Amino acid sequence: MDLQIIWFFIWGLLWAVFFMTDGFDFGIGTLMPFMGKNDNEKRIMINAMGPLWDGNEVWLIGAGGVTFAAFPILYATMFSSFYSALLLILFALILRGVAIEFRHHIDSSAWRQLWDACIFIGSVTPAVLFGVAFANIFKGIPIDANGIYHGNLYSLLNFYGLLGGLLFLLLFLEHGALWLAIRTEGDLHERTSKMANGLWWILLTVALIFLIASKYETNLYDNYYEKPVLFILVLVNLAAFLQIKYFLMQKKYLTAWFSSSLAIVCCTFFGLIGLFPTVFPSSIDPAYSLTAFNSSSSPLTLKIMLGVAIVFVPIIIAYQTWAYNLFRDKVTEKTLSSEQAY
C-alpha cells in the first residue's frame, strides 16, 4: 500500500480519536450551565473530565502535527482558508483550559460565574466550528489552482456547514451526557441519563438529515456507489446509534458511551472514505483539489514518520488507558474535598 494512503487514514484516525476523547469534554462544558443546579454539581461535572481533558487534546496536537508533516501543502492551504475559524477554535480551547484551572482559586460567586461562562463558550465554540469546517471540506472549498481561498468565515456558514456544526454539537452533547451518567450519582446522575435519553432522538434525526443532505450537497457517495461494500460503514454507524439507545434503556452507561464513541469514529470516516483520495476538494474546479498524493511530503519523510508513529502511538494509548482506568470511580461531594479537585 502507498505511504500516502496509509497516512491519509492515520490522519483521519487521529481526528476521529480526538473527537471521541475530547468530544465528551465539549459536551460536559456545554451542558454545565443547564445541568449544574449549584456550585457542587458544577464542580462534580468539571471533575468528571478534570484529570483527562488536557490529555485528550494530545490527539488534536497529533492530528495537526501529522497534517503539517505528512501533508504540508494541505496544511498551508487548510490553515490559510480556515484561518478565522481555526483562530476562534484556538482561542476557545485556551479560554476553556484557563477557566478550568482558575475557577476554583477564589471563593467568589461572581468569579465562578465568569469562568463558568468561559467554560461554556470554550466548549460550544470548537464543537460547532469543527463540524462547520469538516462539513465544508466534505462539500468542497472555493480554492483556485494556487490554493488561494475565495471566501471568508461567513461563506462557511452555509446550510450544509451549519448542519455539520449542529451534528457535531449533538454528538458531543450525547457523549458528554453519557460520560456524566457514568461518573456521577444521585440526582445529577438521574438528570444526565434522562438528558442522554432525550438528546438521542434529536441526534438520530439530525444524523439522518445530514446523511440525506450529503447526497445532494457533496460527492461523498461516489466512492460508496463505486464500491457498495463500503456501505457496511454506514450500517455499522447506524447500529452504533441504535446501540446507544438500547444500552441506555438497559442502564449500561459505559457500554452506551463506547457505542457513542464508535458512532463518532464512524461519522468521521464516513466523510473521509467518501473524500478519498481527495483531502481538500475544490468547489471551483476538481482539478484544483488537493489529494493524498499531490499534497504529501517525500516518501523518506513519510517512512520516518511511520517509524515514529509505530513507537509513540502505542505509548500514548497505553498511558491514556491507564489514566482512564485510574479515574474510573464516580465523582462525589467527598471527592471535591481532595486537594487535587478543581
Side-chain angles (χ1 to χ4, degrees), residues 63-83:
V66 164
T67 310
F68 172 74
F71 303 106
I73 299 174
L74 167 66
Y75 180 88
T77 307
M78 177 186 287
F79 277 71
S80 59
S81 301
F82 292 163
Y83 185 80

Side-chain angles (χ1 to χ4, degrees), residues 208 211 221 224 228-241 266 270 273:
L208 291 174
L211 271 178
Y221 283 99
Y224 291 87
V229 68
L230 294 175
F231 276 106
I232 291 174
L233 178 75
V234 180
L235 295 177
V236 171
N237 201 351
L238 180 60
F241 276 116
C266 287
F270 162 73
I273 288 175

Side-chain angles (χ1 to χ4, degrees), residues 43 73 148 214 246 339:
R43 287 190 65 198
I73 299 174
I148 305 298
S214 297
Y246 173 76
E339 290 184 359

Side-chain angles (χ1 to χ4, degrees), residues 146-218:
N146 297 313
I148 305 298
Y149 176 58
H150 295 268
N152 52 46
L153 178 62
Y154 298 108
S155 58
L156 297 176
L157 303 179
N158 51 71
F159 165 73
Y160 188 70
L162 291 173
L163 187 61
L166 178 62
L167 176 62
F168 268 52
L169 178 62
L170 288 167
L171 279 169
F172 298 155
L173 285 174
E174 179 74 17
H175 211 42
L178 289 169
W179 186 256
L180 287 174
I182 295 168
R183 299 211 62 204
T184 60
E185 60 183 16
D187 185 47
L188 182 58
H189 166 82
E190 293 300 323
R191 281 186 279 119
T192 51
S193 58
K194 187 178 179 182
M195 174 65 76
N197 267 299
L199 279 171
W200 183 84
W201 292 102
I202 305 172
L203 171 60
L204 184 66
T205 304
V206 172
L208 291 174
I209 293 173
F210 186 82
L211 271 178
I212 296 169
S214 297
K215 176 176 174 53
Y216 299 99
E217 297 280 345
T218 74

Side-chain angles (χ1 to χ4, degrees), residues 34-164:
F34 312 103
M35 301 298 296
K37 285 185 175 178
N38 52 51
D39 187 56
N40 269 356
E41 287 192 351
K42 288 177 181 176
R43 287 190 65 198
I44 288 173
M45 294 177 76
I46 293 172
N47 280 276
M49 61 176 174
L52 305 168
W53 70 268
D54 46 358
N56 293 336
E57 292 188 353
V58 167
W59 297 103
L60 174 63
I61 296 170
V66 164
T67 310
F68 172 74
F71 303 106
I73 299 174
L74 167 66
Y75 180 88
T77 307
M78 177 186 287
F79 277 71
S80 59
S81 301
F82 292 163
Y83 185 80
S84 300
L86 293 175
L87 205 60
L88 285 173
I89 290 173
L90 181 62
F91 285 153
L93 292 175
I94 293 172
L95 189 66
R96 185 182 63 145
V98 171
I100 292 172
E101 295 293 338
F102 278 30
R103 184 184 185 278
H104 64 289
H105 283 294
I106 295 179
D107 188 15
S108 159
S109 176
W111 176 266
R112 289 192 294 269
Q113 286 176 6
L114 169 67
W115 294 118
D116 288 349
C118 293
I119 292 174
F120 174 76
I121 294 169
S123 299
V124 71
T125 303
V128 172
L129 288 182
F130 273 126
V132 169
F134 270 82
N136 274 281
I137 292 174
F138 297 161
K139 180 183 173 71
I141 307 296
I143 54 171
D144 61 23
N146 297 313
I148 305 298
Y149 176 58
H150 295 268
N152 52 46
L153 178 62
Y154 298 108
S155 58
L156 297 176
L157 303 179
N158 51 71
F159 165 73
Y160 188 70
L162 291 173
L163 187 61

Side-chain angles (χ1 to χ4, degrees), residues 254-285:
L254 182 60
T255 318
W257 185 83
F258 279 116
S259 299
S260 175
S261 300
L262 178 61
I264 290 173
V265 171
C266 287
C267 282
T268 308
F269 271 91
F270 162 73
L272 293 174
I273 288 175
L275 282 176
F276 183 79
T278 305
V279 285
F280 211 65
S282 170
S283 59
I284 296 175
D285 187 332

